[in-house]
Amino acid sequence: MHSSSSHADPSARILVVDDESSITDAVCTALRYDGFEAREAASARDAVRVMETFLPDLILLDVMLPDIDGFALARDLRAAGHDVPIIFLTARDGTSDKLAGLALGDDYVTKPFSLAEIVARIGTVLRRTKSADDHAVLRFEDVVLNEDTHEVRRSGERIVLTRTEFALLSFFMRNPRRVLSKHQIMDAVWANDTVIDPNVVETYVSYLRKKLGTDRPQLIQTIRLVGYALKEPEG
């Protein structure tokens, strides 16, 4: 199997939902070999639980699951506001099933299938869907920020921010791991304010840290005598 670096983001996260462990094992192994992050789930309930922390970029979803079928899960996800791309994977090859799947998802693959075909189809769907919204969605650790919808989630949980807090977090996420001075932050977030106290930056960083959760690993770190940096938690 060839590397997928030419057709997919190597950091893309794929959730494989199927109750046949032989399929999830084989598919996840192939995806990891090709550079993807892959997790598996054996039921719809398990898939929803995994999604809360894994935040997949694409779901490979079997239609015939032990609790509810894949079509119902896809409808539930869409109703809950999840727009993650879905590729259905199923033995049901009837025309009506294919039409139902394509109406809910982004592709429909029937069993038996080749692993190479699955990897290629995932790459195609990711290219098509990411080209439309990549510029608007920023990710760092378990935080996802959508600049088009002004939504922020951490570990899947919605976080409500003010306009200034959102602009501040967006600036940090566009400059991950980079040490930013108070003046750089002021110029980016408060560009239209000619007079502003640098201490306002400290105040809003404090607000943002609280909104992101004081009981969770701290991502916005203070760099003494310099400024702040969005970094992976230490330790």
Side-chain angles (χ1 to χ4, degrees):
M1 190 176 297
H2 300 290
S3 169
S4 68
S5 60
S6 63
H7 60 68
D9 177 357
S11 65
R13 297 177 296 276
I14 313 299
L15 176 58
V16 182
V17 187
D18 197 303
D19 61 338
E20 295 184 53
S21 60
S22 59
I23 290 179
T24 55
D25 289 348
V27 172
C28 285
T29 298
L31 290 172
R32 290 174 186 133
Y33 182 87
D34 239 53
F36 295 97
E37 291 184 51
R39 289 279 297 275
E40 56 192 67
S43 67
R45 181 178 300 173
D46 194 26
V48 172
R49 179 185 60 79
V50 173
M51 282 184 66
E52 291 178 355
T53 54
F54 185 58
L55 304 176
D57 295 298
L58 182 144
I59 301 175
L60 194 63
L61 179 59
D62 185 22
V63 174
M64 301 174 69
L65 296 173
D67 40 8
I68 66 172
D69 69 43
F71 292 157
L73 175 58
R75 282 191 289 269
D76 289 346
L77 291 176
R78 297 297 185 240
H82 295 289
D83 58 357
V84 58
I86 295 173
I87 297 179
F88 288 105
L89 184 65
T90 179
R92 290 161 58 171
D93 59 359
T95 300
S96 61
D97 289 320
K98 291 180 180 178
L99 291 175
L102 291 172
L104 286 167
D106 299 87
D107 203 349
Y108 193 97
V109 180
T110 56
K111 302 176 182 179
F113 55 83
S114 73
L115 294 175
E117 177 188 7
I118 290 295
V119 172
R121 285 178 179 259
I122 286 173
T124 297
V125 170
L126 284 176
R127 279 200 311 272
R128 185 173 69 238
T129 55
K130 280 180 171 293
S131 63
D133 64 6
D134 248 9
H135 67 284
V137 179
L138 305 176
R139 301 175 187 271
F140 187 83
E141 289 287 299
D142 57 349
V143 178
V144 180
L145 180 149
N146 189 314
E147 294 189 320
D148 280 348
T149 63
H150 272 238
E151 287 186 336
V152 175
R153 294 180 182 272
R154 185 167 192 186
S155 296
E157 180 183 340
R158 178 83 177 271
I159 297 172
V160 179
L161 301 180
T162 66
R163 183 166 59 181
T164 301
E165 291 166 349
F166 185 91
L168 179 58
L169 180 59
S170 177
F171 184 57
F172 275 125
M173 293 184 71
R174 287 192 171 278
N175 295 276
R177 305 175 192 87
R178 178 183 172 191
V179 179
L180 303 167
S181 70
K182 287 185 178 181
H183 288 289
Q184 286 175 310
I185 295 171
M186 288 165 54
D187 289 343
V189 179
W190 287 273
N192 295 326
D193 294 332
T194 55
V195 179
I196 184 171
D197 187 335
N199 289 330
V200 170
V201 175
E202 184 176 337
T203 300
Y204 271 88
V205 166
S206 176
Y207 292 160
L208 195 51
R209 283 171 169 165
K210 290 178 182 177
K211 292 276 184 85
L212 291 174
T214 55
D215 58 336
R216 298 180 180 183
Q218 188 56 250
L219 301 179
I220 303 174
Q221 299 180 22
T222 300
I223 310 301
R224 190 168 178 270
L225 303 179
V226 182
Y228 302 94
L230 184 71
K231 299 174 65 177
E232 291 82 357
E234 296 179 354

